[in-house]
Amino acid sequence: MSNGSEHMLADIAGSMTPIESLTVNLTVNDQASSITVKPRMTLLDALREKLALTGTKKACDRGECGACTVHVNGRRVLSCMTLAAMVEGKRVTTIEGLVQNGKLHPLQSAFIEHDGFQCGFCTSGQIMSGVAMIEEAKAGSPSAATADVRHAFSLVDLSRTEIQERMSGNLCRCACYPNIVDAVAEVISRS
């Protein structure tokens, strides 16, 4: 890089004013929202602090536990690793948004029936991941546990091993994994 280019870049960088805050327009749980956030605010913090949706849990804050799992445009994401600014114009669904007309989502009901939680801290992330995982399987997406990826994957291929692999990014300190798998398997069997 020549000296002239270096000076030009320095001038441009020196004249840039840092952005203090920005407005993000998004749809959360089927309701249009407009929030003002700092550029580096995570989606997790925006949901909890700006929209008072505290069902999404803040745990590791490093994308390792899955407690903060939400859906963005129908796909599961770790909200602690997603900047709020990245969801401009997108649909976000939290655990609160799974309830429809006062009725629990089938996976929420199955978690209760199968005692898929003890302390309950990881439950919202587990459920959000499970709901998305079922939709991914319906769409034909294979996993690392899929025996033969050359053939179309379907919901009937979701064995316990498949469910465990697909849910492996969500940790449970109480070790309710067998009950969580049972809950997911029951919802799959009813689909």
Side-chain angles (χ1 to χ4, degrees):
M1 192 184 279
S2 71
N3 265 351
S5 297
E6 288 173 0
H7 290 295
M8 185 174 72
L9 289 174
D11 289 343
I12 292 170
S15 66
M16 293 174 62
T17 306
I19 298 172
E20 297 294 323
S21 64
L22 55 109
T23 301
V24 178
N25 298 298
L26 65 161
T27 301
V28 180
N29 300 332
D30 297 326
Q31 294 195 0
S33 297
S34 182
I35 55 175
T36 302
V37 299
K38 294 190 182 296
R40 294 187 186 271
M41 180 177 248
T42 64
L43 176 57
L44 172 62
D45 289 337
L47 292 169
R48 293 179 61 81
E49 296 171 18
K50 300 291 183 174
L51 297 172
L53 295 169
T54 57
T56 304
K57 301 304 180 198
K58 186 170 187 165
C60 73
D61 221 14
R62 298 183 341 197
E64 295 176 353
C65 72
C68 68
T69 303
V70 298
H71 300 169
V72 175
N73 287 350
R75 299 202 44 120
R76 55 182 157 168
V77 301
L78 300 172
S79 61
C80 75
M81 300 301 292
T82 306
L83 294 177
M86 294 169 65
V87 297
E88 169 69 35
K90 296 183 178 172
R91 276 181 307 106
V92 176
T93 305
T94 67
I95 191 72
E96 293 91 345
L98 289 184
V99 173
Q100 296 295 313
N101 300 320
K103 187 176 178 184
L104 293 177
H105 185 279
L107 191 53
Q108 289 172 306
S109 295
F111 261 66
I112 293 168
E113 289 172 33
H114 291 277
D115 197 22
F117 55 91
Q118 281 182 27
C119 78
F121 192 81
C122 74
T123 305
S124 61
Q126 295 276 3
I127 290 171
M128 295 305 290
S129 190
V131 168
M133 183 260 320
I134 292 168
E135 293 305 312
E136 291 162 8
K138 283 181 182 177
S141 299
S143 78
T146 303
D148 187 355
V149 296
R150 294 173 296 170
H151 294 74
F153 191 88
S154 70
L155 205 52
V156 296
D157 297 317
L158 276 176
S159 64
R160 291 185 72 80
T161 302
E162 277 281 345
I163 295 168
Q164 291 166 347
E165 169 61 30
R166 291 168 184 261
M167 296 291 291
S168 64
N170 291 80
L171 304 180
C172 174
R173 290 182 178 170
C174 302
C176 290
Y177 298 116
N179 302 16
I180 292 168
V181 172
D182 289 345
V184 173
E186 180 179 313
V187 171
I188 292 165
S189 72
R190 289 192 229 149
S191 295

